[in-house]
Amino acid sequence: MNEYDSNRIRNALDAEATDNPAEADIIIINTCAIRDKADQKAFSSLGKYKHLKSNNPGLIVGISGCVAQLYGEKLLERMPYLDFVLGPRAIPRLPELIKTIENEKQRTVETSYDIEELFDIEPYHSPGKVTAFVSVQQGCNKRCSYCIVPRVRGDEINRPLGDILRETRNLVDKGVREVTFIGQTVNSWKENGYKFGDLLRAAANVENLERIRFTTSYPRDITSRMIEAVRDVPKVCRHIHLPVQSGSNAVLGKMKRTYTREWYSDIVKRLRDAAPDMAVSTDIIVGYPGETERDFEDTMSLLEEIQFDSAFSFKFSPRPGTTAAACPAEETVDEETSGRRLSLLQTFQRDVTMRKNRARVGQVEEVLAEGPSKNDPGILTGRTSHNRITHFRGAGTLSGRVLRVRITEGLFNSLRGELSV
Ligand code: SAH
């Protein structure tokens, strides 16, 4: 989502981008507030540009994204060299904002949610890139107890079907072969009687588009109509990212995730029954307030039961204004315990992921070649339908094509293979 927003920021400004901060006229730090660490990172990177301002008083320095939304005005007080604060919804207002700063020499905060032209600015697309994100939704209507997203990104607004298809077609005209629809709870998308499954079917009709991915799905909003679309539409990739967060019903209840462990398992089963080779990945939070050893064991047993292809796992991080952050002190899980749980979980999952990757050895997978690998121009990088990064020997001119690759080696984060005839 942030990558998408950064590329929208780049397009909102009618300016050339530079990698060298010393020659920039405007520096914008786009930020994430999902966990405390991300939030701290935003402050430390801003600090790095302070000295540039003393050399170049005309330099404009701004902060955008969720940290900007969260702290607003306070950021200007805390950082005298900061010129503007821009919330994630307000990106279309950026050009106006820069003009105000230049003309009136006024420091500005723009954090309104109510932006009519919300989806108007589409992201910068690097020439030659064969994959792209397409935003289908902004904000979130769920109220997970730990999550800051609804506060900083506002309520859910769904983008009209026609606009999504237009952006997709434009990208395909520029050489894109795979789009990933993005939204906080992407499968909750609905518009004018259309549901998410209809969006998948409609996008599949875009000529020369080879693949469709989507992220992140909210378990409770998976419907039969969506499962049927995933099953029936060959362009839809065989991978779903489906955050479960915990395997304990007590914790899921406190998190307000609106489903039980059994319900989640059943949804995964239905998805796998419909599309037998479906890869499933997830997100897990350990050390949620009140999480007991027993609760954690339930999470471990769920990982064992489901056999996820991969899992992103995090220590609970209290976020300002969320109900989970206001829990009684005695419920806090100490650092040592959550650290131990995280490492047990990651060690376990590592084995499962390795086993799954090795099991692909000998199989022929369809891989969309994305381009030469950074380290070796003779090696192409792409991804299988299941979202596994795959490296294989091949000419750069094959980029953008879906190729048959025989897998020869399964590593933790990637596969190796060779072109198959
Ligand atoms: N709506 C998106 C949210 C992305 S955040 C989605 O459902 O994927 C990605 C992951 O960060 C979440 O799934 C969750 O596992 C984790 N996360 C969110 N808030 C957190 C917090 N306060 N502490 C620790 N992890 C958190």
Side-chain angles (χ1 to χ4, degrees), residues 192-354:
N192 237 338
Y194 296 115
K195 297 280 179 56
F196 187 67
D198 306 320
L199 169 61
L200 294 178
R201 287 179 194 273
N205 289 330
V206 173
E207 230 179 293
N208 294 326
L209 178 67
E210 297 273 1
R211 286 176 159 186
I212 303 164
R213 298 184 188 276
F214 50 89
T215 199
T216 299
S217 296
Y218 185 72
R220 210 24 215 270
D221 289 338
I222 291 188
T223 59
S224 306
R225 213 153 136 185
M226 171 180 168
I227 295 179
E228 284 157 18
V230 170
R231 181 194 64 197
D232 297 344
V233 182
K235 286 185 184 180
V236 174
C237 287
R238 291 295 172 252
H239 168 237
I240 189 164
H241 184 61
L242 197 60
V244 64
Q245 313 300 358
S246 170
S248 150
N249 283 336
V251 174
L252 287 172
K254 289 186 205 164
M255 287 177 165
K256 300 265 182 303
R257 287 292 287 179
T258 71
Y259 54 82
T260 59
R261 167 199 177 112
E262 292 74 23
W263 195 92
Y264 180 91
S265 294
D266 185 57
I267 274 291
V268 171
K269 184 173 177 310
R270 285 177 57 200
L271 281 159
R272 284 176 169 164
D273 285 348
D277 204 14
M278 191 80 174
V280 184
S281 59
T282 201
D283 291 343
I284 306 274
I285 297 176
V286 299
Y288 186 83
E291 184 188 72
T292 62
E293 211 49 42
R294 182 65 205 279
D295 292 323
F296 175 65
E297 282 162 17
D298 285 347
T299 298
M300 292 295 280
S301 79
L302 184 75
L303 292 191
E304 185 160 9
E305 177 193 324
I306 304 264
Q307 299 281 304
F308 289 106
D309 290 75
S310 61
F312 299 93
S313 43
F314 315 97
K315 280 189 220 166
F316 168 72
S317 166
R319 307 310 292 132
T322 60
T323 49
C327 72
E330 64 271 19
E331 291 200 359
T332 307
V333 176
D334 61 77
E335 267 298 305
E336 197 193 318
T337 307
S338 39
R340 180 177 51 79
R341 289 179 186 166
L342 189 69
S343 121
L344 278 170
L345 190 150
Q346 291 179 341
T347 307
F348 177 83
Q349 182 56 44
R350 203 184 161 84
D351 281 350
V352 178
T353 299
M354 278 298 308

